[in-house]
């Protein structure tokens, strides 16, 4: 069995000794995050291929933070929290739960949603999105048109369904990368969630 550091040490499980190479594009993303949150997430400081960090973060930003999205910000963050909770990704669950509160969701709703969305007071449309996110996360091999029928019944357009699928997909990607690399949640993110 391979030994590794306890999860409380370092920012991840990685054993790369070289410091992070920061390209202008990565520096720009880090500065934007510092201005928005007051800190830079450990995931954006990992010491490997900055072009990969930039590409994945830009996709997340496009899908979740863009003002041109079809789904309201609240629904996008609900999808992020549900997927991350289903995958037991503490980093993404806490960060997106904090972001969901900033859309106006109550702390009580966010807390329940992060543990078990089925008990959260969601609208019919939000519940359909949470169900979709759960099914696609847990049983992607079974995906067929029935997966999106519930979204149609809840009033989502075909274009909104595409966006929901992309958001669920990108968070399954980020959850898996974050989890397997052991990327730790910043202490500042814990504090922001507790202060919500």
């Amino acid at each position: 069995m391979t030994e590794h550091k306890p999860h409380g040490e370092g920012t991840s499980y990685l054993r790369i000794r070289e410091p992070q190479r920061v390209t202008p594009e990565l520096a720009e993303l880090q500065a934007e995050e510092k201005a928005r949150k007051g800190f830079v997430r450990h995931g954006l400081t990992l010491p490997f291929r900055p072009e990969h960090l930039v590409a994945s973060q830009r996709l997340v930003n496009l899908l979740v933070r863009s003002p041109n999205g079809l789904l309201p910000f609240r629904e996008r963050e609900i999808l992020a929290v549900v997927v991350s909770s289903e995958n037991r990704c503490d980093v993404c669950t806490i960060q997106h739960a904090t972001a969901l509160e900033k859309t106006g969701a109550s702390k009580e709703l966010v807390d329940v949603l992060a543990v078990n969305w089925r008990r959260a007071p969601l609208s019919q449309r939000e519940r359909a999105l949470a169900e979709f996110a759960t099914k696609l996360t847990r049983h992607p091999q079974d995906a067929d048109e029935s997966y999106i029928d519930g979204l149609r019944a809840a009033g989502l357009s075909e274009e909104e369904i595409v966006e929901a699928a992309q958001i669920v997909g990108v968070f399954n990607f980020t959850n898996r990368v974050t989890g397997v690399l052991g990327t730790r949640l910043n202490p500042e993110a814990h504090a922001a969630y507790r202060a919500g």
Side-chain angles (χ1 to χ4, degrees):
M1 180 181 247
T2 304
E3 289 185 35
H4 60 32
K5 294 179 182 178
H7 206 272
E9 297 178 24
T11 60
S12 74
Y13 297 150
L14 292 174
R15 298 176 182 177
I16 300 172
R17 301 295 178 208
E18 296 80 20
Q20 184 184 45
R21 182 169 60 88
V22 180
T23 62
E25 295 82 7
L26 181 56
E28 181 182 345
L29 282 175
Q30 290 175 340
E32 287 172 6
E33 182 152 291
K34 177 91 172 177
R36 189 174 73 251
K37 294 185 171 187
F39 63 93
V40 178
R41 284 174 298 117
H42 291 152
L44 274 183
T45 64
L46 295 174
F48 64 85
R49 306 197 74 177
E51 61 274 17
H52 289 196
L53 294 177
V54 168
S56 60
Q57 187 59 51
R58 283 192 174 150
L59 180 57
V60 170
N61 289 349
L62 177 65
L63 291 170
V64 181
R65 297 191 182 92
S66 170
N68 299 321
L70 299 173
L71 299 174
F73 287 116
R74 175 181 165 115
E75 291 179 353
R76 292 185 244 173
E77 291 296 351
I78 285 172
L79 287 170
V81 172
V82 169
V83 172
S84 300
S85 175
E86 291 294 326
N87 284 325
R88 306 298 185 262
C89 181
D90 59 325
V91 173
C92 296
T93 301
I94 290 173
Q95 290 184 139
H96 287 280
T98 304
L100 179 56
E101 278 190 67
K102 291 180 180 174
T103 72
S106 71
K107 179 72 170 170
E108 292 77 14
L109 181 145
V110 172
D111 285 347
V112 174
L113 188 75
V115 176
N116 181 2
W117 66 264
R118 294 158 194 82
R119 296 178 58 87
L122 300 173
S123 69
Q124 178 191 0
R125 183 176 157 114
E126 291 167 347
R127 191 162 294 283
L129 284 163
E131 180 71 36
F132 170 75
T134 300
K135 286 166 67 175
L136 189 53
T137 297
R138 287 188 172 192
H139 307 288
Q141 73 280 3
D142 296 331
D144 59 17
E145 192 167 6
S146 70
Y147 274 42
I148 61 178
D149 283 342
L151 298 178
R152 288 178 176 140
L156 276 83
S157 70
E158 300 299 291
E159 292 81 4
E160 288 174 322
I161 290 169
V162 172
E163 187 168 280
Q166 290 174 325
I167 292 169
V168 171
V170 80
F171 278 99
N172 274 292
F173 163 71
T174 61
N175 291 170
R176 280 157 177 73
V177 173
T178 297
V180 76
L181 298 183
T183 309
R184 289 183 58 225
L185 186 68
N186 297 59
E188 301 95 329
H190 274 295
Y193 181 69
R194 288 194 299 269

